[in-house]
């Protein structure tokens, strides 16, 4: 997941000199590319050098930058479906909105009320965790996770913290969030991705048949919900978020729910304290409802930015201040990874592309 905090800087190379925003555009079935005039800030030797660097020195397999709804930079395979790792959690957060707002899912409902138990049992103090605690990664439940990818090596002793009082990135929370969604709504997560997102956004590559749950039920009964997307369909999700849930003339997700997802539930100070691996990385992340929030930024181009992040280089980042969406990925199912040093170099080279003389 660290890939995101470095390469995401690439999306910020657009100028922050436009105070009167142009109308946002949306793709139809196929993305619209920016004209040479619209993309001229990207058309320079540094951009070509950056692309060569991506080819020669990284494992990134697809990258797309969208500004004001049009593609200004693309690299690699944008259409092949592959595993998006923990970006799935941010997608689930979007799906929650309709059902929270209509009262089908109650965020103050406890896991005891939901009848949630697990292989090693749930402690009495853990049973008081609410749905809101779970989707904020603040449940205080440190039962082993049946699908890898969390950070439970940093977890306090079980039963030692009150639910809601402590942030920890745990796949137990996220997998239970999927179970709660299906239990309370009576809907399948993947069917809801198709209904709420793939169809209204006219995704080019979505394939319902590729989506299936996984997990080791001898460790935890709650399965993960891996998702397979193309890079260009990930960018559609980012564009929907950038536009506060609106797609063309349709409010696909309510604006109020977008705001709720992106409201800070955990500060970067607490996040860095609880999981020290985030300290000194160059980005201060806070946390909302399964979205990573950029906090305490020095560069105004990053003001209000937020990300969906997944292991091995999966990322959707939205930069509202510059009306920009970044989507990139690796074909993580094949175990392709980007080293920390490569990620840092990507960020350095990407920042050099921007030509500040372009107006």
């Amino acid at each position: 997941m660290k890939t995101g905090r470095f390469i995401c800087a690439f999306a910020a190379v657009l100028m922050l000199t436009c105070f009167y925003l142009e109308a946002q555009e949306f793709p139809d079935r196929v993305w619209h590319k920016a004209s040479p005039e619209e993309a001229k800030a990207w058309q320079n030797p540094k951009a070509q050098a950056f692309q060569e660097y991506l080819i020669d020195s990284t494992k990134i397999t697809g990258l797309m930058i969208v500004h004001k709804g049009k593609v200004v930079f693309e690299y690699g395979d944008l259409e092949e479906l592959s595993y998006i790792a923990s970006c799935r959690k941010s997608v689930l957060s979007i799906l929650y909105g309709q059902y929270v707002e209509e009262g089908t899912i109650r965020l103050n409902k406890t896991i005891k009320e939901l009848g949630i138990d697990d292989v090693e049992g749930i402690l009495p103090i853990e049973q008081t965790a609410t749905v809101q605690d779970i989707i904020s990664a603040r449940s205080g439940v440190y039962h082993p996770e049946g699908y890898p990818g969390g950070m439970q090596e940093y977890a306090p002793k079980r039963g030692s913290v009150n639910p809601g009082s402590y942030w920890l990135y745990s796949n137990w929370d996220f997998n239970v969030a999927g179970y709660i969604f299906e239990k309370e709504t009576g809907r399948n997560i993947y069917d809801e991705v198709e209904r709420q997102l793939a169809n209204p956004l006219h995704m080019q590559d979505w394939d319902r048949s590729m989506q299936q749950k996984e997990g080791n039920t001898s460790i935890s009964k709650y399965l993960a919900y891996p998702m397979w997307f193309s890079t260009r369909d990930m960018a559609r999700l980012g564009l929907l978020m950038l536009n506060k849930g609106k797609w063309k003339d349709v409010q696909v997700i309510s604006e109020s729910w977008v705001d709720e997802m992106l409201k800070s539930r955990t500060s970067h100070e607490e996040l860095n304290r609880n999981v020290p691996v985030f300290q000194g990385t160059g980005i201060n992340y806070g946390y909302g409802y399964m979205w990573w929030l950029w906090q305490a930024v020095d560069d105004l181009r990053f003001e209000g930015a937020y990300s969906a992040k997944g292991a091995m280089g999966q990322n959707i980042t939205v930069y509202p201040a510059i009306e920009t969406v970044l989507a990139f990925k690796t074909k993580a199912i094949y175990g392709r990874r980007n080293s920390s040093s490569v990620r840092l170099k990507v960020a350095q080279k990407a920042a050099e592309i921007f030509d500040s003389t372009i107006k």
Side-chain angles (χ1 to χ4, degrees), residues 101-114:
E101 293 183 332
E102 69 183 25
T104 301
I105 296 176
R106 287 175 34 223
L107 295 183
N108 63 354
K109 202 169 186 177
T110 67
I111 60 175
K112 181 178 181 179
E113 292 175 301
L114 290 162

Side-chain angles (χ1 to χ4, degrees), residues 226-294:
M227 295 181 187
W228 290 56
F229 276 87
S230 67
T231 305
R232 62 190 182 184
D233 284 347
M234 291 166 68
R236 288 179 188 258
L237 294 174
L239 188 58
L240 176 70
M241 291 292 290
L242 174 64
N243 287 280
K244 296 283 191 173
K246 191 172 185 179
W247 192 264
K248 297 185 178 179
D249 296 325
V250 179
Q251 195 71 44
V252 176
I253 306 297
S254 78
E255 181 173 346
S256 61
W257 181 248
V258 174
D259 290 340
E260 283 296 304
M261 284 189 287
L262 303 179
K263 188 179 295 183
S264 179
R265 314 288 168 175
T266 300
S267 69
H268 67 278
E269 292 96 344
E270 181 184 356
L271 194 149
N272 289 342
R273 182 172 63 249
N274 293 2
V275 182
V277 70
F278 288 108
Q279 294 179 10
T281 59
I283 293 180
N284 291 309
Y285 284 121
Y287 207 72
Y289 287 159
M290 295 188 278
W291 283 89
W292 300 85
L293 314 177
W294 295 43

Side-chain angles (χ1 to χ4, degrees), residues 18-74:
C18 181
F19 296 98
Y20 300 96
L21 303 181
E22 300 174 8
Q24 186 67 249
E25 295 201 23
F26 294 86
D28 297 311
R29 189 67 178 178
V30 177
W31 281 93
H32 307 299
K33 291 189 177 181
S35 68
E37 176 66 21
E38 292 166 326
K40 63 182 180 181
W42 302 88
Q43 297 172 343
N44 56 63
K46 291 180 181 179
Q48 180 61 36
F50 181 77
Q51 179 156 322
E52 292 172 359
Y53 176 73
L54 292 176
I55 295 169
D56 296 338
S57 304
T58 81
K59 301 298 184 182
I60 293 166
T61 55
L63 183 148
M64 188 170 176
I65 302 289
V66 176
H67 180 63
K68 297 183 184 294
K70 292 185 178 181
V71 180
V72 294
F73 184 93
E74 59 184 27

Side-chain angles (χ1 to χ4, degrees), residues 61-251:
T61 55
L63 183 148
M64 188 170 176
I65 302 289
V66 176
H67 180 63
K68 297 183 184 294
K70 292 185 178 181
V71 180
V72 294
F73 184 93
E74 59 184 27
Y75 162 77
D77 188 340
L78 304 179
E79 62 184 83
E80 185 172 358
L81 294 163
S82 62
Y83 174 64
I84 64 169
S86 290
C87 292
R88 68 187 174 97
K89 300 155 189 175
S90 302
V91 177
L92 178 63
S93 183
I94 296 173
L95 301 182
Y96 257 74
Q98 171 189 333
Y99 296 106
V100 171
E101 293 183 332
E102 69 183 25
T104 301
I105 296 176
R106 287 175 34 223
L107 295 183
N108 63 354
K109 202 169 186 177
T110 67
I111 60 175
K112 181 178 181 179
E113 292 175 301
L114 290 162
I116 289 174
D117 198 0
D118 212 341
V119 174
E120 296 187 6
I122 302 297
L123 302 177
I125 189 173
E126 295 173 335
Q127 292 174 357
T128 65
T130 65
V131 177
Q132 183 175 52
D133 295 332
I134 288 168
I135 66 174
S136 306
R138 303 185 67 87
S139 74
V141 181
Y142 306 128
H143 186 284
E145 51 194 20
Y147 189 83
M151 299 178 181
Q152 286 200 359
E153 64 269 29
Y154 298 103
K157 182 180 177 181
R158 284 192 69 181
S160 66
V161 301
N162 291 317
S165 69
Y166 194 94
W167 181 88
L168 184 79
Y169 190 86
S170 167
N171 268 0
W172 191 90
D173 280 2
F174 303 127
N175 297 340
V176 168
Y179 168 82
I180 292 170
F181 177 86
E182 293 192 334
K183 181 180 189 296
E184 296 297 274
T185 67
R187 305 289 185 110
N188 177 277
I189 287 173
Y190 301 128
D191 291 343
E192 283 295 285
V193 172
E194 185 163 273
R195 184 185 73 83
Q196 291 195 44
L197 299 172
N199 289 341
L201 274 54
H202 307 293
M203 288 185 179
Q204 293 168 263
D205 308 305
W206 168 258
D207 185 347
R208 173 64 180 84
S209 69
M210 294 187 69
Q211 321 296 329
Q212 59 182 2
K213 298 184 182 71
E214 297 179 6
N216 185 340
T217 54
S218 69
I219 297 175
S220 172
K221 65 174 69 173
Y222 301 105
L223 296 174
Y225 38 92
M227 295 181 187
W228 290 56
F229 276 87
S230 67
T231 305
R232 62 190 182 184
D233 284 347
M234 291 166 68
R236 288 179 188 258
L237 294 174
L239 188 58
L240 176 70
M241 291 292 290
L242 174 64
N243 287 280
K244 296 283 191 173
K246 191 172 185 179
W247 192 264
K248 297 185 178 179
D249 296 325
V250 179
Q251 195 71 44

